[in-house]
């Protein structure tokens, strides 16, 4: 009976990713020759060369690349199966992998996640905060993310999207800026002001007003980071258009004042929790239900007196 190739899958995947027998050997605590023998056995069993071997690097052949991609999927499925079995227990356990936009994650997801982890101490979480989009459908990231939080329209209908909260943006400026430059009373007057805007394609609904006018055309500052735009507005550099979940604290302490409230086109963007239906587990479902309850009355929309924050423009 031929030896199963299953024990060698993880080793092969690691070799392709590390491009080194020695690095993989150090990881497993064995000699490099032991790792090389496992790859030799795998190639013999498959009757196909999987790696181009040189003195400088290891590269997968065409067959090796195909085998690598399928092996990654198989290993991910095995890991998810193990996690699912663990999560069927009364108390969720195992590893839960998440990613989330960095500003929202720091300000709002972490308090919720901390409360969830305190409730389930046997659960371990791997959280990646990023401003880039991670693919939940395929590839390395797709095999490692259980839940992703996204803000804005969801185009991939193959994912299960759960709405956690709507999003609302406001035009904002510091009192110092308004004292120096005056307060715009109409959309047209924004052209006379210094505006701070997103670098790259504007998020849906950003700077969009009745008549489908989208501003600013010539912003004073362009930046690809929302927290940096917030900081610029706090320093009096100009008018910014940002979501209330990012700016509520500044509005509540009077560091930013809302402008032209009610003149912007209502935004349809929402904060979603995304998952793949095939990758769902009890612990994932429990987390999403927890987040739905946590964000049902979002803290950034409530002031100390329970009223909506930042809307007093009298």
């Amino acid at each position: 009976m031929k030896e199963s190739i299953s024990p060698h899958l993880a080793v092969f995947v690691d070799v392709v990713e590390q491009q080194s027998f020695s690095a993989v050997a150090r990881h497993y605590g064995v000699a490099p020759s032991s790792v090389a023998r496992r790859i030799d056995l795998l190639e013999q069993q498959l009757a196909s060369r999987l790696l181009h071997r040189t003195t400088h690097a290891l590269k997968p052949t065409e067959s090796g690349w195909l085998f690598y991609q399928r092996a990654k999927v198989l290993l991910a499925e095995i890991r998810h199966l193990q996690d699912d079995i663990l999560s069927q227990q009364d108390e969720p356990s195992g590893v839960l992998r998440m990613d989330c936009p960095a500003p929202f994650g720091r300000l709002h997801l972490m308090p919720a996640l901390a409360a969830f982890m305190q409730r389930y101490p046997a659960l371990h979480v791997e959280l990646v905060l990023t401003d880039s989009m991670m693919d939940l459908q395929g590839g390395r990231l797709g095999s490692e993310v259980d839940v992703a939080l996204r803000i804005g329209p969801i185009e991939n209908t193959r994912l299960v999207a759960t709405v956690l909260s709507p999003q609302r943006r406001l035009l904002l400026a510091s009192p110092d800026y308004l004292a120096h430059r005056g307060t715009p009373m109409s959309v047209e007057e924004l052209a006379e002001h210094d505006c701070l805007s997103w670098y790259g394609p504007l998020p849906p609904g950003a700077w969009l007003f009745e008549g489908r006018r989208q501003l600013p055309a010539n912003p004073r500052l362009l930046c690809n980071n929302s927290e940096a735009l917030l900081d610029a507005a706090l320093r009096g550099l100009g008018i910014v258009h940002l979501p209330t979940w990012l700016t509520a604290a500044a509005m509540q302490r009077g560091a930013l004042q809302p402008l032209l409230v009610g003149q912007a086109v209502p935004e349809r963007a929402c904060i979603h929790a995304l998952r793949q239906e095939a990758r769902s587990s009890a612990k994932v479902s429990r987390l999403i239900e927890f987040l739905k309850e946590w964000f049902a009355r979002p803290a950034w929309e409530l002031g100390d007196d329970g009223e909506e924050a930042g809307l007093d423009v009298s």
Side-chain angles (χ1 to χ4, degrees), residues 99-103 128-135 141 148-150:
D99 79 77
C100 177
V128 175
L129 298 181
T130 178
D131 286 318
S132 63
M133 292 295 289
M134 284 190 171
D135 178 18
L141 295 175
L149 267 59
R150 292 288 180 266

Side-chain angles (χ1 to χ4, degrees), residues 35-224:
V35 174
R37 281 196 299 272
R38 292 194 185 192
I39 303 303
D40 290 339
L41 287 172
L42 199 55
E43 290 180 329
Q44 292 172 14
Q45 290 172 311
L46 296 171
S48 179
R49 179 167 293 280
L50 301 176
L51 294 174
H52 292 300
R53 311 185 194 194
T54 69
T55 56
H56 300 291
L58 298 169
K59 298 288 185 181
T61 63
E62 184 176 351
S63 297
W65 182 248
L66 176 63
F67 187 74
Y68 164 77
Q69 292 177 308
R70 295 296 299 274
K72 286 281 290 183
V73 173
L74 289 172
L75 290 171
E77 291 297 336
I78 291 171
R79 190 196 70 233
H80 280 286
L81 177 59
Q82 292 171 332
D83 288 347
D84 288 348
I85 291 173
L86 288 173
S87 69
Q88 296 303 319
Q89 303 171 7
D90 290 339
E91 181 175 326
S93 59
V95 178
L96 184 64
R97 297 164 178 85
M98 301 182 65
D99 79 77
C100 177
F104 187 85
R106 285 190 290 267
L107 290 171
H108 301 294
L109 176 61
M110 272 312 304
L113 193 56
F116 186 75
M117 295 176 70
Q118 288 168 352
R119 180 178 295 185
Y120 302 111
L123 189 68
H124 296 262
V125 175
E126 294 179 4
L127 173 64
V128 175
L129 298 181
T130 178
D131 286 318
S132 63
M133 292 295 289
M134 284 190 171
D135 178 18
L136 294 182
Q137 288 300 314
R140 187 178 70 84
L141 295 175
S143 67
E144 295 181 1
V145 175
D146 299 306
V147 180
L149 267 59
R150 292 288 180 266
I151 301 174
I154 303 300
E155 298 179 357
N156 192 334
T157 57
R158 293 175 295 176
L159 299 177
V160 179
T162 301
V163 175
L164 301 180
S165 176
Q167 174 173 270
R168 184 169 53 113
R169 289 187 180 91
L170 293 174
L171 287 175
L172 301 157
S174 71
D176 287 344
Y177 175 86
L178 296 175
H180 178 64
R181 297 292 300 274
T183 301
M185 303 306 294
S186 68
V187 174
E188 287 72 23
E189 291 182 26
L190 289 175
E192 302 171 7
H193 283 265
D194 294 332
C195 294
L196 318 171
S197 188
W198 187 262
Y199 181 76
L202 289 175
W207 296 87
L208 193 60
F209 298 88
E210 298 296 345
R212 313 301 293 178
R213 291 169 295 183
Q214 196 165 26
L215 300 171
N218 297 296
R220 185 181 183 197
L221 173 67
L222 285 170
C223 183
N224 68 340

